[in-house]
Amino acid sequence: KQWYQRRVAITAGIENIGRSEMKVNNFDHVICDEIMKLINHPSFEVLELSIPCSLSLMNLMTDPPHKLQELWRPNSFDMYLLSYLEYAAYETKSNRKHLYVKYLERIIQTCRQAIIKHLKSIVTLLIDYMKVRDVEEVRLSCLKCLKLLLVHGWPRICTHSIDILMCCVNVVAESHSDENTTVYNETRDFVLALKTLCNGSLDKHLECLKSFSNKGVKNMVAYVMEKKTGS
């Protein structure tokens, strides 16, 4: 109850400032520190409660009608995002990882081009999270984030295309063995989108994957290459 009340108070504070033109000294540091305490709390319930605070904070950072950017120092968003990614990278529990990556999807949707300078850190985190096998929602949320990065991180996302491809190969192999058709199909379709966006730079790597013994990988490569031929 104490943490719930704290979250309500922080959210109300964010929304009140968002409706005004007032300036608050060190507002960015104070509010970010409070939200990070919520996010880093070991309780799953507290982390779940912190998500609305974080979403309100993102809206505040990107809301131009009130000129709210004046409340933030130039590197405030970068500091907030890097702290978030650092906490997420050290997380070990799958259910908490799902919340982290689910919110990361919203960050990418909200901030778009602002995330480009942190693209490598985001991709590294997503590749690590794609190893989660026991909670399929983690992988599905990672794929949603990667799809958004194809839009908002282009063309720099192509510099990470090989690492992303090999990560997807492992997921395809595992999901085929687990008979998880949802994860398999989503990953396969993402590889097709990645290959199309990267303009043929992955073709030779896909050719090499034809020699893989895993049937799921072979089927994925055939699907992707056939789509190329059909176009």
Side-chain angles (χ1 to χ4, degrees), residues 14 18 50-51 83 161:
I14 293 172
S50 72
I51 296 299
S83 295
S161 59

Side-chain angles (χ1 to χ4, degrees), residues 18 33 36 39-40 43 79 85 92 109 125 129 168 186 199:
D33 285 348
M36 280 302 161
I39 287 177
N40 198 39
S43 166
M79 290 170 57
L85 294 173
T92 58
Q109 285 177 326
L125 179 71
Y129 273 31
C168 289
E186 288 293 326
N199 232 357

Side-chain angles (χ1 to χ4, degrees), residues 162 165-166 201-210 221:
I162 296 176
L165 173 63
M166 296 315 298
S201 63
L202 291 179
D203 285 358
K204 65 178 181 180
H205 300 284
L206 289 167
E207 287 288 345
C208 293
L209 290 174
K210 288 181 178 179
V221 172

Side-chain angles (χ1 to χ4, degrees), residues 147-185:
K147 288 177 182 177
L148 288 171
L149 291 179
L150 292 184
V151 177
H152 303 303
W154 190 87
R156 286 183 60 182
I157 188 66
C158 294
T159 63
H160 305 286
S161 59
I162 296 176
D163 292 333
I164 295 173
L165 173 63
M166 296 315 298
C167 165
C168 289
V169 167
N170 291 330
V171 173
V172 162
E174 290 178 356
S175 58
H176 185 267
S177 301
D178 296 341
E179 297 184 350
N180 189 329
T181 54
T182 302
V183 172
Y184 179 87
N185 291 339

Side-chain angles (χ1 to χ4, degrees), residues 72-214:
W72 303 94
R73 301 174 197 190
N75 63 343
S76 291
F77 169 73
D78 298 324
M79 290 170 57
Y80 178 81
L81 180 56
L82 288 173
S83 295
Y84 185 88
L85 294 173
E86 183 178 0
Y87 284 133
Y90 284 107
E91 185 55 63
T92 58
K93 297 180 180 178
S94 297
N95 60 341
R96 287 173 64 89
K97 285 187 175 185
H98 180 225
L99 283 179
Y100 273 115
V101 73
K102 185 178 178 181
Y103 174 53
L104 181 58
E105 179 189 345
R106 297 293 298 270
I107 292 179
I108 297 171
Q109 285 177 326
T110 302
C111 303
R112 302 184 181 184
Q113 297 297 318
I115 55 89
I116 287 182
K117 68 168 75 171
H118 305 293
L119 193 60
K120 182 177 180 180
S121 298
I122 294 173
V123 170
T124 300
L125 179 71
L126 292 174
I127 287 176
D128 181 58
Y129 273 31
M130 287 280 275
K131 297 174 185 175
V132 175
R133 198 169 177 172
D134 57 328
V135 179
E136 76 167 29
E137 287 80 7
V138 176
R139 282 178 166 172
L140 293 174
S141 292
C142 285
L143 288 167
K144 289 180 181 178
C145 287
L146 287 169
K147 288 177 182 177
L148 288 171
L149 291 179
L150 292 184
V151 177
H152 303 303
W154 190 87
R156 286 183 60 182
I157 188 66
C158 294
T159 63
H160 305 286
S161 59
I162 296 176
D163 292 333
I164 295 173
L165 173 63
M166 296 315 298
C167 165
C168 289
V169 167
N170 291 330
V171 173
V172 162
E174 290 178 356
S175 58
H176 185 267
S177 301
D178 296 341
E179 297 184 350
N180 189 329
T181 54
T182 302
V183 172
Y184 179 87
N185 291 339
E186 288 293 326
T187 308
R188 178 195 64 183
D189 291 343
F190 170 76
V191 171
L192 175 61
L194 178 67
K195 187 264 302 179
T196 303
L197 187 74
C198 292
N199 232 357
S201 63
L202 291 179
D203 285 358
K204 65 178 181 180
H205 300 284
L206 289 167
E207 287 288 345
C208 293
L209 290 174
K210 288 181 178 179
S211 61
F212 268 46
S213 58
N214 183 276

